[in-house]
Amino acid sequence: MLCAAQASAFSLDDVVAKARYLMASPYVAPVSNLPPAFARMQFADYAKIQPLPAKFGWRDQPSPFKLNFYHQGMQFNAPVTINEIVGNDVSEIKYDAQRFDFGGLDAAKAAAGALGYAGFRVLYPLNQAGKEDEVMSLLGASYFRVIGKGQVYGLSGRGLAIDTALPSGEEFPDFREFWVQRPGAQDQKLVIYALLDSPRATGAYKFTLQPGADAVLDVQARIFMRGKVNVLGIAPLTSMFLYGANQQTDKRSYRPAIHDSNGLAISTGSGEWLWRPLNNPQGVTVSTFTVENPRGFGLQQRGREFSRFEDLKDRYDLRPTAWIEPKGDWGKGKVELVELSTADETNDNIVAFWTPAVQPEAGEALQFDYRMHWTMDEAALMPRNLARVTQTIHTTGEQTQANLIRQPDGTTAFLVDFEGPPPTALPADAPVTAQVSVGDNAELISTTLERNPAIKGWRVTVRIKVKDPKLAVEMRAALVAANKTLSETWSYQLPPVVVVAPPATAPTAPPPAPPPAPLPGK
């Protein structure tokens, strides 16, 4: 353990001073130093460059934590400075090409001498004693990923989001420099400091990582505004939703669902809990939820039975939920959900964050502290006295005819399953009802509530007629009894259908685009 004097040798205040200095200085963009062998590199070759276990950081130390590094290459074209804090000393971890196996890329190895690190990974014996498991990854802009025991990488956290999904274009801040505090032999937490920089904001961050069955990451963020922004995203999360039970694929696939997350959960400051299933829209959809002093929000992966995915390679059933637990009061604002269209699973198309009601002006300083839970136990995040939505199924509405044959009736139906303590604890004749509402663009045809013995819960079936398919439909449903809410609120948006007119003549096929480079773990 570091003593108090050693622990104060370097602190968040030191990074704050650097961020304040950057705020008062003109922005200088990172400059690529990649030679052609790295600048033209495709992802398959970049993935061949692997760190050598014998050269991991802290290999010669008794600490259970180890570090290894990402090499520069592709879009990771500017080096990131990584420092180590040891007692009273702070020193840069210098780039060393001998830390890497270049996988037969001889030309790249020969050109690597003057390059640097693009980011780093944290390893810890999480799943088995003596086995070094990757538990955190920091690579690209301000992105990072964390996993707990038995989990695989899925969604990402980010330091900051600026003007996400606006026509003017999104600004992606960068973590330009890191400081990692060398842990002692008995330490079970790792402290990482980060300096953030972008044209309109700078920031100082302290991350305290605690690996475990659920990984916990405490974040202290100090943000300094260089310029005016339209939407400042605090504690942003980025994920992928391709299709699932609420929005099924029209392609033949053995995989019933493909997603890193399937919904946004929000615990409002007023005590209400919301569940918003995700969509893969045909365009861009932005949904906002007014929340003053949120108690929590996050992108969740609900429903972890392997049969929901049937994917032995990518194991979407093992991808974690990320839950943001604010510390203190954040004030008036809203949680914003951005959904983008994606044709495949290699692109993250979901972003969620909290944004203040009044956007900060240039020169303002902001402070946000929060805890991130990376977990597969979503039920544990909710109060025990509320039922939660475990499944949303979108289907064609139908009626049973006199001959017992089910016949489509021109409606759209949603089957919503609620599972949790309140419904199962109620007597069989309890007067439970489903409180359902739909927006102006739909007519509510019927609502059916029935017990679901398979999950010891309830199933609500909502049938609607959409008035204009080119417009979205908003719907809400919750379980109530004697004016008491028994469940979280299911808040769903049926996205609009975009009709694309066929071209007058057959188009000329464009040249194939290079595949996108996925974030670590994709």
Side-chain angles (χ1 to χ4, degrees):
M1 277 299 243
L2 292 174
C3 68
Q6 289 175 316
S8 64
F10 187 92
S11 70
L12 182 59
D13 290 340
D14 294 282
V15 190
V16 165
K18 292 177 179 289
R20 285 187 180 276
Y21 176 81
L22 286 178
M23 178 186 67
S25 307
Y27 174 70
V28 178
V31 177
S32 173
N33 64 342
L34 292 184
F38 286 91
R40 295 195 296 261
M41 190 174 284
Q42 298 296 307
F43 180 76
D45 282 337
Y46 179 72
K48 293 178 182 178
I49 306 175
Q50 291 295 315
L52 292 166
K55 299 289 187 178
F56 286 178
W58 304 328
R59 172 59 71 206
D60 58 348
Q61 299 297 318
S63 166
F65 291 93
K66 299 291 181 286
L67 296 181
N68 66 45
F69 305 94
Y70 287 103
H71 204 284
Q72 283 187 256
M74 302 190 308
Q75 76 267 33
F76 310 117
N77 57 16
V80 175
T81 302
I82 303 172
N83 304 285
E84 182 183 22
I85 307 167
V86 184
N88 293 313
D89 297 324
V90 178
S91 58
E92 182 180 351
I93 302 175
K94 297 291 187 180
Y95 169 76
D96 183 358
Q98 299 303 313
R99 289 184 183 270
F100 299 93
D101 178 353
F102 284 83
L105 302 174
D106 295 334
K109 183 176 182 179
L115 294 180
Y117 301 125
F120 65 98
R121 307 172 176 93
V122 178
L123 294 91
Y124 184 86
L126 184 63
N127 296 291
Q128 179 181 331
K131 183 178 181 295
E132 293 163 345
D133 298 302
E134 188 175 330
V135 295
M136 186 174 184
S137 171
L138 301 101
L139 175 68
S142 68
Y143 286 88
F144 58 89
R145 286 180 171 176
V146 181
I147 49 177
K149 186 174 183 178
Q151 302 170 16
V152 301
Y153 280 141
L155 78 170
S156 301
R158 292 162 64 180
L160 196 65
I162 296 178
D163 289 356
T164 304
L166 294 186
S168 57
E170 182 169 0
E171 181 174 309
F172 290 90
D174 294 300
F175 283 142
R176 302 283 286 271
E177 188 168 3
F178 293 98
W179 295 261
V180 188
Q181 188 169 288
R182 182 191 289 182
Q186 304 303 317
D187 286 349
Q188 297 180 348
K189 296 181 180 180
L190 182 69
V191 175
I192 301 168
Y193 300 95
L195 177 66
L196 180 139
D197 192 22
S198 75
R200 287 179 289 170
T202 69
Y205 288 74
K206 179 181 180 181
F207 300 104
T208 303
L209 172 67
Q210 183 173 357
D214 287 350
V216 173
L217 187 71
D218 286 312
V219 182
Q220 295 175 256
R222 307 293 181 261
I223 301 164
F224 304 93
M225 303 307 301
R226 258 203 185 107
K228 175 69 175 176
V229 302
N230 296 298
V231 179
L232 186 71
I234 305 301
L237 299 169
T238 297
S239 192
M240 180 276 296
F241 179 89
L242 187 61
Y243 62 82
N246 64 295
Q247 189 182 37
Q248 299 164 17
T249 179
D250 57 358
K251 300 176 182 178
R252 291 180 63 89
S253 176
Y254 70 93
R255 299 184 290 180
I258 298 178
H259 48 72
D260 290 337
S261 309
N262 61 355
L264 168 68
I266 303 173
S267 173
T268 70
S270 62
E272 184 182 18
W273 284 71
L274 300 174
W275 173 248
R276 164 63 154 81
L278 299 178
N279 291 306
N280 179 4
Q282 292 180 275
V284 178
T285 300
V286 179
S287 303
T288 59
F289 304 85
T290 300
V291 180
E292 183 174 351
N293 295 325
R295 298 300 92 192
F297 67 92
L299 293 174
Q300 298 192 357
Q301 183 79 309
R302 291 193 184 179
R304 297 192 168 277
E305 300 86 355
F306 178 75
S307 59
R308 294 205 186 194
F309 302 95
E310 296 292 352
D311 194 323
L312 287 171
K313 177 178 178 290
D314 290 322
R315 297 307 302 267
Y316 290 102
D317 57 308
L318 300 179
R319 305 201 175 199
T321 278
W323 180 251
I324 308 294
E325 179 187 343
K327 296 182 179 180
D329 292 338
W330 284 10
K332 294 182 178 180
K334 58 189 177 183
V335 175
E336 191 159 296
L337 173 67
V338 178
E339 297 165 302
L340 309 171
S341 177
T342 184
D344 57 61
E345 64 209 89
T346 65
N347 294 308
D348 285 336
N349 64 319
I350 305 295
V351 183
F353 51 80
W354 185 85
T355 186
V358 178
Q359 298 301 307
E361 299 288 340
E364 282 194 49
L366 308 171
Q367 174 176 323
F368 295 95
D369 295 343
Y370 51 96
R371 170 168 286 185
M372 304 183 73
H373 300 264
W374 303 77
T375 179
M376 294 197 297
D377 188 1
E378 290 75 23
L381 299 172
M382 288 190 61
R384 295 178 61 84
N385 63 346
L386 281 183
R388 66 191 187 100
V389 177
T390 57
Q391 183 169 226
T392 301
I393 302 174
H394 181 189
T395 186
T396 299
E398 59 186 17
Q399 292 290 328
T400 302
Q401 308 301 301
N403 60 3
L404 302 184
I405 296 176
R406 298 186 182 190
Q407 182 70 26
D409 61 2
T411 66
T412 296
F414 294 87
L415 283 63
V416 185
D417 284 337
F418 289 87
E419 178 183 342
T424 60
L426 294 170
D429 59 349
V432 179
T433 60
Q435 193 174 72
V436 177
S437 63
V438 301
D440 294 339
N441 191 39
E443 177 186 357
L444 179 60
I445 302 300
S446 70
T447 298
T448 303
L449 174 66
E450 55 190 330
R451 284 187 177 270
N452 184 341
I455 63 170
K456 298 179 181 179
W458 298 87
R459 172 167 289 181
V460 178
T461 301
V462 179
R463 292 169 54 243
I464 64 171
K465 276 195 173 180
V466 179
K467 296 177 182 178
D468 186 350
K470 297 188 295 298
L471 300 176
V473 176
E474 298 286 349
M475 293 169 279
R476 290 167 67 92
L479 302 180
V480 297
N483 296 321
K484 180 181 180 181
T485 301
L486 303 178
S487 71
E488 66 182 348
T489 299
W490 174 78
S491 178
Y492 188 66
Q493 182 185 85
L494 180 64
V497 177
V498 179
V499 179
V500 180
T505 59
T508 302
L519 292 167
K522 269 280 190 274

